[in-house]
Amino acid sequence: PILPHRKMPHSKKPRLTGSNDDAEASSDARPNLSADEFACILGFLPPKQIMCLRRVCKTWREAAKKTIVPIVEFNVDSIDKYNALTVMVTAMPNLQQIKISSMGARHKYNDGEDPDEEEAARTANYSIHDIEILSNFTKLRILEFECAPMNGRYSSLFEFSLLQKLKITWGMKWDLELLSGLPLLEELHVYSGGVTGNINSLKALKDTLTMVSIEFSNNVNGDFPVHGDFMDLADFPRLKVLCLKNTAVTGNLLDIDEHHFPQLQSLSLPDQVCGGDGYKFQRIAEMTDFIHKLYHLKKRRSPKLLLYWRWHLSEDSPDWYRSRRYPQLPFSIELVKVGSRLGYRWFGVYAVTSENDDGPTQYCEINWLDQEPERESSDYEIYLQKLERIQRNIDFYKGYS
């Protein structure tokens, strides 16, 4: 039988008295932080997280604008990354590290002053993006340009009062004088054919620079526009690394005395510097005299300074001639460090099939400049082990020093 429909009574819910008061009390229990205080908290997070959290509320959005973003690389290597950078200009302007790279095929940054006309014509139909937006990031401490599609000069990119590290690999044209706009710069890394100027311009940064590395500066004509005397940097009190390979810098290595380059630990100079790596002497007697003078300089410096440098006898020297059937006569010289003991050795190479085809290096015996370590010293066993390995390389010129 079908039972008659009966309306079920509604269950009564207990009334939540004072619910609004409880909610307000709960709200009051939460910390009521200002945008400045939230900015301090966000300062412990990477850029991507900060950009996400800024969407939570108006306070967090304001906090993101004030956040000093931790030093974490933000690499602009795609259009998406560039678009994100344009948002960060206003949403998170206190980035401390940015790297500018290639954005992909047929994309470039706007041409600067004095662009290469041929390159400008070749890329005329590329999508153009504004590189000048970088000037809005006034808190930058690290800035890198790595094969960035840039053409011309961009003086506004050298006006960051807090920048400590600048690295430029290819790309724009610029002069060393522009570095005066970076008063706190500590490290300069350059591998670019677009740089010009006299290294004397670095004196504006005398009290801050710890590293100067300009490893490639020749332009399209094969010239080396970076020039000057490396000794102009001799009174830099904090300079630890100086690399000027492939520049037109000149000077004399033996001009360095105990008061110059007080913190220097690594030095690399081009071969046109008298005594620079690869320098060619006119007489054999000059080479041995140079080594003994260099020894006194090295004893006052870092143990690794000038190791792996090589010097040669010029082919224009009256002392030079070439052997075609036997190992090349030992007309080159280098320092050798075995344990704590320093010396030098001559070496030559095989002539294999032509004048320009060289074979394995042939070493002479070591000429010692230091005394042998004491047999009771902790260094003696290390010295013997390293000496044995070096002597294995002595073959054709065994017994000759």
Side-chain angles (χ1 to χ4, degrees), residues 210-212 230 233-234 236-243 253 256 260-269 297 300-306 309:
T210 61
M211 173 181 286
V212 174
F230 83 96
L233 312 184
F236 282 38
R238 302 182 63 207
L239 192 62
K240 295 180 179 180
V241 176
L242 179 60
C243 177
L253 188 67
I256 300 176
H260 296 143
F261 300 106
Q263 299 295 325
L264 198 64
Q265 298 175 5
S266 177
L267 179 64
S268 182
L269 298 172
L297 166 65
R300 301 190 298 264
R301 298 290 172 165
S302 166
K304 295 182 180 180
L305 193 66
L306 307 182
W309 285 30

Side-chain angles (χ1 to χ4, degrees), residues 296-320:
H296 296 292
L297 166 65
K298 185 167 174 54
K299 291 294 287 184
R300 301 190 298 264
R301 298 290 172 165
S302 166
K304 295 182 180 180
L305 193 66
L306 307 182
L307 280 181
Y308 312 114
W309 285 30
R310 291 181 164 187
W311 300 272
H312 312 284
L313 183 67
S314 171
E315 295 182 11
D316 297 329
S317 166
D319 297 337
W320 189 93

Side-chain angles (χ1 to χ4, degrees), residues 138-150:
T138 58
K139 295 293 192 296
L140 276 180
R141 295 183 182 274
I142 301 176
L143 179 58
E144 299 181 48
F145 297 93
E146 184 174 278
C147 301
M150 301 165 65

Side-chain angles (χ1 to χ4, degrees), residues 8 72 159 167 191 269 276 289 298 303 323 328 335 380 389 400:
M8 298 298 293
V72 178
E159 297 175 359
K167 183 176 181 180
Y191 193 89
L269 298 172
D289 181 58
K298 185 167 174 54
S323 172
Q328 172 60 33
L335 290 171
Y380 189 70
R389 287 198 297 268
Y400 292 90

Side-chain angles (χ1 to χ4, degrees), residues 11-145:
S11 60
K12 293 184 179 181
K13 295 181 180 179
R15 183 179 178 185
L16 299 178
T17 58
S19 59
N20 291 337
D21 295 337
D22 292 343
E24 290 175 5
S26 176
S27 176
D28 291 340
R30 292 198 303 265
N32 186 19
L33 300 180
S34 66
D36 289 335
E37 291 168 321
F38 270 122
C40 293
I41 297 172
L42 295 178
F44 290 94
L45 302 177
K48 187 174 182 179
Q49 278 190 267
I50 298 173
M51 287 296 286
C52 291
L53 291 173
R54 63 181 286 273
R55 301 176 182 175
V56 170
C57 64
K58 182 179 179 180
T59 300
W60 287 33
R61 187 161 56 250
E62 291 301 314
K65 292 181 181 180
K66 299 180 177 182
T67 300
I68 304 299
V69 183
I71 298 180
V72 178
E73 181 181 277
F74 181 76
N75 188 6
V76 184
D77 57 358
S78 67
I79 295 302
D80 288 343
K81 292 284 190 68
Y82 176 80
N83 291 336
L85 189 69
T86 61
V87 175
M88 291 176 182
V89 167
T90 55
M92 197 172 63
N94 294 329
L95 281 175
Q96 294 192 87
Q97 181 174 0
I98 297 177
K99 181 177 180 179
I100 303 296
S101 306
S102 171
M103 296 174 288
R106 303 190 68 79
H107 289 274
K108 73 172 187 176
Y109 291 106
N110 56 291
D111 292 342
E113 298 177 5
D114 186 30
D116 180 83
E117 296 298 336
E118 184 176 336
E119 178 66 11
R122 187 185 70 83
T123 60
N125 294 325
Y126 282 18
S127 297
I128 300 174
H129 307 277
D130 184 14
I131 191 63
E132 307 290 346
I133 63 172
L134 282 180
S135 61
N136 293 285
F137 297 97
T138 58
K139 295 293 192 296
L140 276 180
R141 295 183 182 274
I142 301 176
L143 179 58
E144 299 181 48
F145 297 93

Side-chain angles (χ1 to χ4, degrees), residues 248-264:
V249 168
T250 58
N252 190 325
L253 188 67
L254 296 180
D255 286 342
I256 300 176
D257 64 29
E258 63 270 18
H259 304 296
H260 296 143
F261 300 106
Q263 299 295 325
L264 198 64

